[in-house]
């Protein structure tokens, strides 16, 4: 009787022990595989001749969550423009002309004639590069810097007036104004020579002329700024410079951009902004001032 009554119990006990042992092994195996994942073969990718493997200081975002944060300049721009109702100097379509170039070239060196309400935007769009603003109004610089201290700007002076534009246009036709050189050493009266040396020593990839003031006869006007931007572009060691001129609906900006940035270098016009792509003149001797 005893053997008959104990046999089912022994079988159940054996099965229970086997089940618990199997469960134990399953747990051990699960923990092992989670901490040592089985690697599967990764297919090799081949880059085309013109492709470049993207470089990043954050090779694995999940392992470095700080790399997922937006840049401080972008964060400041989002807050700034979300809390102001001031309209930028340029329209969306006009801004898009420069944006398309920045998307290809940034981070790069970007020189802007004029410190304005859109300056933080340009700095943010050129994140990782250098964006420098040249401004004629010292009090305006202090006002902007108080709100956005991260912007880099220089105070500069101009000794011209809008009403002198016709005379300066004639001056610009002289042979001295067709010689490509460092603006500091140019013999052309249109060449601006009083900027900080930093401005001349850097090769600028983009230059935007949106200053100085040019909407009345006694304002400095952009005659010399346009000429100097073109001279800087031609004088770079190699490559090309994208130069943008705003307010080309006005006579000075229209005539001087066509004359000294050259219609042959005109790439695009949208609304009141013109985009010129000017190659280095140092890499090919004898290149005419305008094509």
């Amino acid at each position: 009787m005893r053997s008959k009554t104990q046999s089912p119990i022994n079988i159940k006990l054996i099965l229970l022990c086997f089940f618990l042992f199997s469960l134990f092994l399953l747990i051990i195996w699960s923990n092992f595989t989670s901490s040592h994942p089985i690697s599967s073969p990764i297919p090799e990718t081949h880059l085309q001749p013109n492709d470049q493997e993207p470089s990043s200081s954050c090779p694995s975002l999940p392992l470095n969550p700080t790399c997922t944060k937006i840049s401080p300049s972008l964060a400041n721009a989002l807050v700034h423009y979300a809390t102001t109702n001031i309209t930028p100097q340029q329209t969306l379509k006009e801004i898009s002309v420069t944006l398309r170039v920045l998307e290809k070239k940034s981070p790069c060196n970007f020189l802007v004639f004029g410190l304005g309400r859109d300056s933080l935007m340009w700095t943010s769009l050129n994140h990782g590069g250098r964006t420098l603003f040249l401004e004629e109004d010292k009090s305006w610089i202090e006002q902007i810097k108080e709100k956005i201290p991260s912007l880099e700007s220089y105070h500069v002076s101009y000794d011209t007036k809008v009403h002198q534009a016709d005379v300066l246009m004639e001056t610009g036709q002289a042979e001295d104004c067709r010689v490509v050189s460092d603006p500091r050493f140019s013999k052309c009266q249109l060449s601006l020579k009083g900027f900080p040396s930093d401005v001349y020593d850097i090769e600028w990839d983009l230059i935007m002329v949106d200053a100085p003031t040019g909407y009345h006869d006694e304002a400095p006007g952009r005659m010399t700024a346009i000429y100097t931007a073109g001279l800087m572009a031609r004088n770079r060691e190699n490559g090309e410079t994208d130069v943008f001129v705003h307010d080309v609906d006005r006579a000075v900006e229209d005539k001087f951009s066509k004359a000294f940035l050259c219609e042959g270098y005109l790439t695009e016009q949208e609304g009141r902004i013109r985009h010129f792509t000017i190659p280095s003149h140092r890499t090919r001797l004898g290149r005419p001032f305008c094509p």
Side-chain angles (χ1 to χ4, degrees):
M1 290 290 296
R2 184 169 181 168
S3 61
K4 289 183 180 179
T5 57
Q6 288 182 350
S7 178
I9 296 175
N10 290 337
I11 294 174
K12 290 181 180 180
L13 183 60
I14 293 171
L15 291 174
L16 180 61
C17 291
F18 178 77
F19 173 76
L20 292 174
F21 182 71
S22 300
L23 183 61
F24 176 75
L25 289 178
L26 181 63
I27 293 173
I28 295 296
W29 176 253
S30 175
N31 290 335
F32 178 79
T33 55
S34 63
S35 60
H36 299 80
I38 300 174
S39 60
S40 58
I42 299 176
E44 183 179 359
T45 58
H46 298 279
L47 297 177
Q48 298 298 321
N50 293 330
D51 291 340
Q52 291 185 350
E53 197 169 316
S55 60
S56 173
S57 59
C58 307
S60 179
L61 291 179
L63 298 179
N64 196 349
T66 57
C67 296
T68 62
K69 293 183 178 180
I70 62 175
S71 67
S73 62
L74 179 56
N76 290 335
L78 289 171
V79 173
H80 174 75
Y81 292 111
T83 56
T84 183
N85 58 0
I86 299 174
T87 305
Q89 288 94 321
Q90 299 184 26
T91 66
L92 174 60
K93 288 185 177 180
E94 291 169 354
I95 290 171
S96 298
V97 173
T98 310
L99 175 60
R100 285 191 289 271
V101 177
L102 281 171
E103 286 175 340
K104 296 177 182 178
K105 289 194 170 183
S106 66
C108 62
N109 293 321
F110 188 7
L111 178 66
V112 184
F113 285 80
L115 180 68
R117 303 188 187 280
D118 53 4
S119 296
L120 181 58
M121 175 190 68
W122 295 128
T123 300
S124 301
L125 293 175
N126 189 32
H127 175 62
R130 184 179 185 185
T131 307
L132 177 64
F133 302 92
L134 305 177
E135 173 58 41
E136 74 208 79
D137 188 340
K138 196 169 185 178
S139 63
W140 177 247
I141 293 178
E142 294 172 355
Q143 184 178 337
I144 294 295
K145 292 282 282 185
E146 184 177 352
K147 296 179 180 178
I148 315 171
S150 61
L151 294 180
E152 184 181 8
S153 61
Y154 287 139
H155 174 243
V156 295
S157 301
Y158 300 91
D159 58 2
T160 55
K161 303 293 183 183
V162 170
H163 64 75
Q164 298 172 319
D166 290 340
V167 174
L168 291 173
M169 177 62 77
E170 292 181 13
T171 300
Q173 307 309 313
E175 188 60 32
D176 285 343
C177 294
R178 301 285 161 167
V179 176
V180 175
S181 64
D182 186 315
R184 287 172 290 190
F185 311 125
S186 172
K187 295 180 181 180
C188 181
Q189 185 182 344
L190 289 170
S191 181
L192 291 166
K193 303 175 178 65
F195 293 158
S197 59
D198 206 16
V199 176
Y200 303 105
D201 293 338
I202 294 175
E203 289 194 342
W204 301 101
D205 303 296
L206 278 75
I207 303 177
M208 177 173 289
V209 181
D210 204 2
T213 306
Y215 58 85
H216 59 88
D217 283 349
E218 293 302 317
R222 299 176 186 174
M223 300 80 68
T224 54
I226 291 171
Y227 175 84
T228 304
L231 193 57
M232 287 178 172
R234 292 177 177 86
N235 191 57
R236 68 179 296 147
E237 187 172 346
N238 53 59
E240 59 186 25
T241 306
D242 293 279
V243 182
F244 306 86
V245 179
H246 195 225
D247 298 315
V248 294
D249 55 322
R250 301 193 303 221
V252 166
E253 286 79 356
D254 176 40
K255 294 178 181 178
F256 276 74
S257 64
K258 288 179 179 177
F260 301 111
L261 301 180
C262 306
E263 292 185 77
Y265 290 142
L266 178 61
T267 303
E268 181 181 4
Q269 177 169 344
E270 177 64 56
R272 296 174 298 147
I273 196 164
R274 282 188 190 141
H275 171 205
F276 299 84
T277 305
I278 303 178
S280 167
H281 281 219
R282 291 170 58 183
T283 55
R284 197 181 85 185
L285 297 177
R287 186 194 293 266
F289 192 81
C290 283

